Amino acid sequence: MFKNKLFTKIVLIFTIPILGILFFSSTMVYEKIKLTQEFENNSFRFDYLKSAERLMISLEKEKILSLNYLNSKDLYKNLKEQQDITKEYFDKLKITLNNFPWKLEWKEHIEDLDNNFIKLEELRDRIVNLVVSSEDITNKFNLVNKRIIKTLVLLRFKDSTNSYSQNILRLDDYFNSNANNIEKLSSLAELTVISIQKELSHHEQNINLEKNISYIFLFFCFFTLIPLFFILRNIIFNEQDSALKIEKHKNIYELLNQANKFLTKTFKKDELYIEICELLKDNKDLTFCFIYDCVNKQVIAQDGELKEIIIKNKDSSSENLISKTIKREQNIVINNFKDENVSICYDKAKEFNINSMATFPIKKFNEVVGVLLLYSKEVNFFDQEAEILFDKLVFGIANCLEKIDYEDIRLQQENELKLSSFAFDSFAPMIITDNKNTIVKVNKAFCQIMGYSKEELLGQNPRMFKTAHQDRKFIESLWDDLKINGSWSGDVYNKKANGDIIALRSIITVIKNEEEKITNYLGQYMDISEQKDKEKILEYQATHDNLTGLPNRLLLLDRIEHAITKTVRHKIFGGLIFIDLDNFKAVNDTLGHDMGDVLLITVAKKIKECLRDEDTVSRIGGDEFIVLLDNIGNNSDDARRNISYLAEKIKNTLNNITHINGHKNISTPSIGVTLFSDSSVSVQDIIKQADTAMYSAKKQGKNAIEFF
């Protein structure tokens, strides 16, 4: 009843105006048809107008020839020909009049025209016999033309403008003036025809357009009314269905709200399943529901006949339906229970008013642990929106199950942390970070060696201790070991709160939960600064001269290797300067070894002052020094010139050491120089070349410079 009343009301509201429009359009079409018929009659009027135009011009020509004939009988032949033309035009005019739809109304005018032409025949005889005056000829011909003009006035063209009437008046004035100007008459007649032709053509186009529009409008109104009924019917029925769907979804929303309130409070799985079934039972659209617990192989539902049927038939189709849901891990919806026999409740569907059903997998940590089955009274109850809403309910159940597990794990971890806290607060420095590498715990020993308080460290990232020793390659290697092996050990240099660098031996261990997911990282440290300092001292002593502090032969050889590689890569020249102190033995013998050591220290200092920071000066033993230059020029000429200048500078600087602690210095330098630019010569060969050059300098009398 509701649908019928609503449909009737809306149909009346919409169709009454459309029926009015339909009536209006029909009337408009009828008027346009009548108007079109009137314009069709204009064609008769226009044919008459053209016939009359030709006749008037012919009469005027005949009149002029008749007047001329009175003066010259030689025009007789021309006059007869024109008379015949006039008669022909008059006959055509009569034919046009006989085709008039309203010729009965023009009967009097037709007879008048006939009488005037009869009189005109009499006039023609008199003209031939030359028994007529020119005045009679003019008056008679003008009279006939004026009778024709009178009929033109009576034509009454539909929608003609004033221009037509004005042109008719001009024609009438022409004949009143007794003019004999055939060109003027032709022009006036032609102007009359053209003006009315343009007006009729313009109006006829407008009328045809309006008539076509009227037809289209009538067609549109007529054919709109019928589809409108079906459209309105569909709209109303769809609105009715939408209202029912909204009501259904509203009930499901209320159920979700009640379920969410319960889900936030429960911490036991059994209570959760039972309470959900109780809530679903109160929904008026649902017939029955139950949850199948995959872990315990148990059916949770309201007690009753349907529950007993399901429990007794665990191996039947219902179990198969549950198995499909578990296997597919997705919803299964049956919107018409009568069409598909897939449930053990199929035979009882009519008895329990079951028309549709749906299954929803319940997941915990992405694993199906249960299945929710719902049976509804309504066909197509589980539409897309309803399915989404029940998915939200199942998602809430899954979250609650995960929350229960998390709570159990948390309690377990708390107990474990209580036990581990005793070990954590030992004398060994330790920190714990979460899986995002944020410090969550730190003991006193770590705070003491790093100089921070606990409050300053908690919530920070260990990268705050990073120094230049820990480059990108080092960090990537550390994280690779943690990822692959679950632990890393090695030495690190960390920055303390005061900016000092501390050396620590570190062991970092990955902590995982039961699902093998990383939860924390444990870092254990031991201060090895003293050990590192000892190692550095030993390393320094192994590579440097104890007296002068200059690199020794071992370090020099390594640097020469690097210098050779550099010259080859960059296509430059390197150089070696071999310096030997002349008379050094005499200094030692006369002044003592202490004075000899002072001289060696002074020489080392003076040579370093002559060099760049990147150059190397080395004491290779006794009174022998070697200077290494890894970039002395881009070509041999530049390299030779630059190293000559430097060797001369070193020689002059060492010669300026005139006294040693008040004693006169008798030692001078002998210098040998060599260049290298590729790897064809070994390190030992380069040193031998410089040594050979140095001995050449000694042979030259000492205190000299020689190139290899």
Side-chain angles (χ1 to χ4, degrees), residues 245-497:
K245 282 185 180 180
I246 291 169
E247 182 66 23
K248 175 180 71 176
H249 297 154
K250 179 182 176 184
N251 293 335
I252 300 174
Y253 266 117
E254 290 177 358
L255 186 148
L256 285 176
N257 289 333
Q258 295 175 13
N260 288 333
K261 292 177 183 177
F262 170 77
L263 291 173
T264 57
K265 298 175 182 178
T266 186
F267 291 94
K268 293 183 179 180
K269 184 178 75 172
D270 294 339
E271 291 181 3
L272 168 66
Y273 285 165
I274 293 170
E275 186 65 24
I276 291 297
C277 290
E278 287 292 328
L279 287 173
L280 292 170
K281 176 192 69 174
D282 296 334
N283 188 286
K284 64 179 183 178
D285 296 317
L286 297 177
T287 304
F288 181 70
C289 68
F290 73 91
I291 294 175
Y292 179 75
D293 187 348
C294 300
V295 178
N296 300 323
K297 307 296 181 183
Q298 184 182 2
V299 175
I300 297 95
Q302 182 186 2
D303 293 335
E305 186 178 353
L306 277 174
K307 181 179 179 181
E308 294 176 1
I309 294 171
I310 292 167
I311 293 173
K312 289 178 181 179
N313 295 275
K314 286 184 178 180
D315 299 326
S316 61
S317 57
S318 176
E319 184 68 13
N320 293 334
L321 191 60
I322 292 172
S323 299
K324 288 179 182 178
T325 305
I326 296 171
K327 183 179 180 181
R328 297 175 186 174
E329 296 188 7
Q330 61 184 19
N331 305 340
I332 297 176
V333 176
I334 301 168
N335 271 319
N336 195 333
F337 210 69
K338 296 177 182 179
D339 293 343
E340 298 183 56
N341 181 12
V342 293
S343 172
I344 59 173
C345 301
Y346 179 78
D347 296 332
K348 297 284 184 177
K350 189 173 183 180
E351 180 182 345
F352 291 101
N353 193 21
I354 297 173
N355 289 299
S356 61
M357 74 171 294
T359 65
F360 300 87
I362 301 171
K363 295 183 180 180
K364 182 178 70 175
F365 302 120
N366 293 324
E367 182 181 354
V368 178
V369 295
V371 180
L372 172 65
L373 289 91
L374 303 174
Y375 299 87
S376 175
K377 305 172 184 178
E378 301 290 335
V379 176
N380 296 322
F381 177 77
F382 298 99
D383 55 23
Q384 187 176 7
E385 291 82 1
E387 188 178 356
I388 291 171
L389 293 176
F390 281 114
D391 272 335
K392 290 182 179 179
L393 173 62
V394 172
F395 182 74
I397 296 171
N399 284 339
C400 187
L401 290 172
E402 291 176 0
K403 180 189 71 175
I404 293 171
D405 275 15
Y406 277 129
E407 184 64 20
D408 293 341
I409 294 170
R410 186 186 66 80
L411 293 173
Q412 183 181 352
Q413 289 177 343
E414 280 185 0
N415 294 330
E416 292 176 355
L417 286 173
K418 286 179 182 179
L419 296 174
S420 63
S421 63
F422 294 104
F424 187 75
D425 287 328
S426 65
F427 291 106
M430 285 189 285
I431 63 170
I432 295 177
T433 66
D434 60 15
N435 58 357
K436 295 181 180 178
N437 209 26
T438 301
I439 299 173
V440 296
K441 197 166 185 179
V442 59
N443 66 1
K444 292 180 181 179
F446 188 85
C447 292
Q448 288 173 355
I449 66 168
M450 297 302 295
Y452 289 96
S453 65
K454 282 188 179 182
E455 290 72 19
E456 290 175 316
L457 295 176
L458 292 177
Q460 300 296 323
N461 191 296
R463 71 169 66 97
M464 67 185 290
F465 311 126
K466 182 181 176 183
T467 63
H469 297 80
Q470 301 165 20
D471 57 14
R472 183 175 179 181
K473 185 177 180 180
F474 174 85
I475 298 298
E476 288 177 352
S477 176
L478 184 152
W479 283 105
D480 286 343
D481 278 0
L482 287 176
K483 184 177 180 181
I484 298 170
N485 304 318
S487 64
W488 175 87
S489 61
D491 296 342
V492 295
Y493 291 88
N494 280 358
K495 185 167 61 176
K496 298 169 65 174

Side-chain angles (χ1 to χ4, degrees), residues 613-662:
D613 291 339
E614 63 265 28
D615 298 331
T616 299
V617 56
S618 170
R619 182 188 174 206
I620 60 172
D623 58 350
E624 294 178 336
F625 297 85
I626 289 181
V627 175
L628 170 65
L629 310 163
D630 62 0
N631 183 6
I632 197 66
N634 294 326
N635 55 65
S636 59
D637 293 338
D638 289 346
R640 186 178 182 87
R641 183 172 55 255
N642 293 335
I643 203 167
S644 294
Y645 171 78
L646 182 59
E648 190 68 35
K649 182 179 179 182
I650 292 172
K651 174 175 170 289
N652 293 335
T653 300
L654 296 183
N655 281 330
N656 287 334
I657 306 173
T658 58
H659 290 82
I660 309 168
N661 287 351

Side-chain angles (χ1 to χ4, degrees), residues 24 47 69 81 93 115-116 163 193 235 237 243 270 331 340 391 420 484 563 568 582 600 615 632 693:
F24 169 75
D47 289 343
Y69 177 75
E81 289 177 356
L93 182 69
N115 293 332
N116 276 286
S163 61
V193 173
I235 291 172
F237 289 174
D270 294 339
N331 305 340
E340 298 183 56
D391 272 335
S420 63
I484 298 170
V568 172
D582 304 324
L600 292 174
D615 298 331
I632 197 66

Side-chain angles (χ1 to χ4, degrees), residues 58 73 113 134 144 194 264 267 328 458 491 507 568 606:
S58 181
K73 292 181 181 181
L113 284 174
S134 59
V144 175
I194 290 172
T264 57
F267 291 94
R328 297 175 186 174
L458 292 177
D491 296 342
I507 299 175
V568 172
K606 293 295 184 179

